[in-house]
Amino acid sequence: MDVEAEEQFRRFVEGRSLALLRTAYALTGDRHTAEDLVQGALAKLFRHWRTVDDPEGYVRRIIYNDQVSSWRRRRTVREEPVEDVPERAVSDGSAEVDGRLDMTRLLSMLAPRQRAVLVLRYYDGLTEREIATALGCSIGNVRSQTFRALARLRTLAPELTTAVPAAPTIEGA
Amino acid sequence: MDLQELLRESVDGQVRDVPAGFADGAIRRVRRRRTRVALASVAGAMLVGAAAATFAMIGPAEPDRNDGAPADRSSSGYDVDLAALPDGPAPALPWYADGHLHIDNTATAFDVEFAAVSLYRVAGGFVVLATEPNGRGAGDPRARTLYSVREGGAPVTLASGPIRGVAVAGLSGQAAVSTADTVSVVDVATGTVLYALETPDDETTPVGFLDGERVLLRTGTGALLTWDVGGGYARYLEDRAIDRLSSAGGPAVLAPGGRLLAITPSATATDVLDTGTGHVLWSRPPAVLTFSPDGRYAALLEAPVPPGVIPSDLDGAEPGDLLERNGPTVTVTQEMLDTVAEHPDDWEKVRHVVIMDARTGAEVRRLTAENAENLRWETGTSVVFGAYRDGEEAALIRCSVDGACELTTQPREVVGEPGVDGNPYLLGDTP
């Protein structure tokens, strides 16, 4: 890679890394895993820098894809969501800061795919079709996962009911 | 506050900054600086053992060249599986490892630090174009040095500074070298500049020697020129309307002997021309071709899944479907689908080594290998390239046109990013 291209890459990383890292953190729930996920995706981008027309779109799709691949690899060591939320994890609704902390913890208590559909839908703002493409599943599966994720959120934290949609938003509706 | 706002506040509050050196970390995963000093600093005793093992292997190699087993897709999912190939002789073309230039069973010390290197064979030695490890990128053309290295001798500097490109005529022992303002022909053995002329523009690079008296050049605007080394420039094949490269096109590659020329006039196709008639013999999607020494075959490395495409893009797709993305539209092929089906987690590592009839483009052989890199013709019927196993080991591989493959160096632990800078054995970049 020539100097100019490398400088362009560095500018891209400088400008977009925080947003990418936040998405990865939301997906993984772990700061170090998120950094590794993003840096791995950026390394792949660096290798193809001259041929990729939409760097951010490419990196995000690599992040999603690598995260899905990690779920597949972990299937042999089955990952189960926590069934019961410790009482201290539930907000008492007294302060927004508690709500923030609860959301991070609540996300970690969802199954990986449920967490992913929520993050992609409500954090990254993707459409159901885009989420299906990103996660390699059907739109119907996205809807069902979203429904279950929202239902579980309401179960885990009843006080968040007003913030959580009763049903997944239907695209185009 | 709705769910979207809660998520944003929660996640954004937890991740407020990016670790220092994040870009450097990503780049380090891809690139390692290959220096003698670095090699010496890493577990010296272990490295000595590794080097000894390598030299022991290339010394008494017994099998006949190109007598390897026909490639058969192994449990790795690749035709070329380092763990399953028989041993063969060392490559009969230049490669670099452990501070030495190698060819066959000879090793010549090359005590130079570099970030990138291109290697050429000339009678009795090597020509080496090294990019200095100046920290500004491996491809920085402003920090290059061209060396002549006789077998067993020390490197002699032929040129240094902003070298734009090099072409070497092995038989005559001459090198064409371009800088921003001058193109020269140098006698490699003596370092004497035989001819020099001002370049048409500051990005002119030599493509190759058409014969002993003419050098084919490509200008920064994509024009192909011949340089009569005793005189001036002329448009190449102007009377046959071949002058249609654009600056956006890919590199031009001249077959040994100058009878065939591969050009990439646009982002959509590479054409192979008969330089005698100027006719386009065949075309294919853009690729960097390399021609066999006798010009009978052409070969290339191909990624079956193009950059920018990931497996989830192909869910439910069929051959012929168009992938509409932000970048160029991609047509789905059966090879793409087969690759992601067979390699769902390492699709991007799959490379095809494709050998074709140089005059017709008819495919003669196609082999899959993990991160195959730096494809070179060794003889009229064999190629050598780098390949990996599980991203952990790498070696140089020889495959013949009939599909028989063998190890030409013993697999060793990778030292950088596989497919980019991870192979401890370097065949060198295309300049």
Side-chain angles (χ1 to χ4, degrees), chain B residues 36 55 96-102 106-112 126 128 147-156:
Chain B
R36 175 181 57 82
F55 291 124
Y96 172 94
D98 300 330
H100 289 75
L101 300 171
H102 301 261
T106 69
T108 298
F110 186 65
D111 189 15
V112 172
F126 309 88
V128 181
Y147 298 97
S148 170
V149 187
R150 312 305 297 170
E151 282 184 27
V156 174

Side-chain angles (χ1 to χ4, degrees), chain B residues 325-366:
Chain B
R325 300 171 305 120
N326 291 334
T329 299
V330 173
T331 303
V332 175
T333 66
Q334 189 61 51
E335 284 176 355
M336 282 186 211
L337 300 176
D338 292 345
T339 299
V340 298
E342 192 166 1
H343 299 270
D345 294 328
D346 62 343
W347 83 97
E348 67 167 16
K349 297 178 183 175
V350 180
R351 295 291 181 276
H352 288 183
V353 178
V354 185
I355 298 175
M356 295 157 291
D357 183 299
R359 296 198 69 84
T360 67
E363 195 169 303
V364 176
R365 188 66 53 193
R366 179 180 289 263

Side-chain angles (χ1 to χ4, degrees), chain A residues 1-3 6-7 9-10 13 17-18 21-22 25-26 31 35-36 38-40 42-44 46-48 51 53-54 58 61-62 65-66 69 73 96 99-101 103-104 107 118 122-123 133-134 136-137 150 153 160 163-165, chain B residues 1-4 6-19 21-27 29-31 136-140 142 307-313 315 325-328 344-345 347-348 351 371 417-420:
Chain A
M1 179 180 285
D2 59 34
V3 176
E6 184 172 321
E7 288 175 354
F9 173 79
R10 287 180 182 279
V13 174
S17 283
L18 182 58
L21 196 55
R22 284 171 166 167
Y25 176 75
R31 178 65 186 254
E35 289 176 7
D36 189 58
V38 174
Q39 208 163 57
L42 289 172
K44 290 173 181 174
F46 183 70
R47 294 169 62 178
H48 300 300
T51 54
D53 297 288
D54 174 20
Y58 181 70
R61 290 183 317 121
I62 290 289
N65 189 82
D66 286 357
S69 294
R73 284 193 293 272
E96 287 196 344
R100 185 189 71 212
L101 291 173
M103 282 310 302
T104 303
L107 276 179
L118 287 192
Y122 295 102
Y123 186 80
T133 300
C137 61
L150 294 175
L153 275 186
L160 292 177
V164 176
Chain B
M1 191 176 284
D2 62 18
L3 180 58
Q4 187 169 12
L6 281 171
L7 271 171
R8 289 203 173 280
E9 185 179 78
S10 175
V11 172
D12 294 357
Q14 294 289 319
V15 183
R16 295 182 182 277
D17 53 28
V18 176
F22 209 53
D24 290 330
I27 293 171
R29 290 190 183 205
V30 178
R31 175 192 299 157
R136 297 208 63 202
D140 187 351
R142 292 169 293 188
V309 175
I310 63 177
S312 57
D313 293 339
D315 283 342
R325 300 171 305 120
N326 291 334
D345 294 328
W347 83 97
E348 67 167 16
R351 295 291 181 276
N371 273 322
E417 175 73 8
V420 178

Side-chain angles (χ1 to χ4, degrees), chain A residues 35-95:
Chain A
E35 289 176 7
D36 189 58
L37 188 62
V38 174
Q39 208 163 57
L42 289 172
K44 290 173 181 174
L45 173 66
F46 183 70
R47 294 169 62 178
H48 300 300
W49 179 254
R50 295 183 199 182
T51 54
V52 172
D53 297 288
D54 174 20
E56 178 152 356
Y58 181 70
V59 168
R60 285 187 178 276
R61 290 183 317 121
I62 290 289
I63 288 171
Y64 303 151
N65 189 82
D66 286 357
Q67 180 64 5
V68 170
S69 294
S70 74
W71 300 340
R72 288 175 179 149
R73 284 193 293 272
R74 283 198 303 248
R75 273 179 183 165
T76 51
V77 184
R78 192 172 172 79
E79 180 179 328
E80 296 287 357
V82 175
E83 286 300 327
D84 299 313
V85 189
E87 286 184 5
R88 58 188 167 83
V90 180
S91 165
D92 60 5
S94 61

Side-chain angles (χ1 to χ4, degrees), chain B residues 32 34 54 57 80-83 85 95 97 370-373 385-397 407-426:
Chain B
R32 106 200 122 91
R34 193 185 309 266
T54 301
M57 185 282 300
V80 176
D81 180 352
L82 273 57
L85 295 179
W95 90 99
E370 181 179 319
N371 273 322
E373 60 186 5
F385 55 93
Y388 295 76
R389 177 176 170 77
D390 297 333
E392 296 176 353
E393 291 185 317
L396 299 181
I397 308 298
L407 295 169
T408 66
T409 62
Q410 285 298 298
R412 283 174 53 184
E413 187 178 348
V414 302
V415 291
E417 175 73 8
V420 178
D421 200 12
N423 202 321
Y425 308 101
L426 288 180

Side-chain angles (χ1 to χ4, degrees), chain B residues 32-128:
Chain B
R32 106 200 122 91
R33 197 172 279 175
R34 193 185 309 266
T35 68
R36 175 181 57 82
V37 174
L39 280 173
S41 67
V42 180
M46 186 179 70
L47 273 175
V48 169
T54 301
F55 291 124
M57 185 282 300
I58 63 176
E62 292 297 329
D64 292 333
R65 183 163 295 142
N66 295 331
D67 197 24
D72 185 18
R73 188 158 297 186
S74 69
S75 58
S76 70
Y78 294 99
D79 298 322
V80 176
D81 180 352
L82 273 57
L85 295 179
D87 292 345
L93 48 70
W95 90 99
Y96 172 94
D98 300 330
H100 289 75
L101 300 171
H102 301 261
I103 188 165
D104 289 321
N105 295 327
T106 69
T108 298
F110 186 65
D111 189 15
V112 172
E113 295 183 9
F114 57 83
V117 70
S118 298
L119 307 173
Y120 310 86
R121 178 64 168 167
V122 292
F126 309 88
V127 171
V128 181

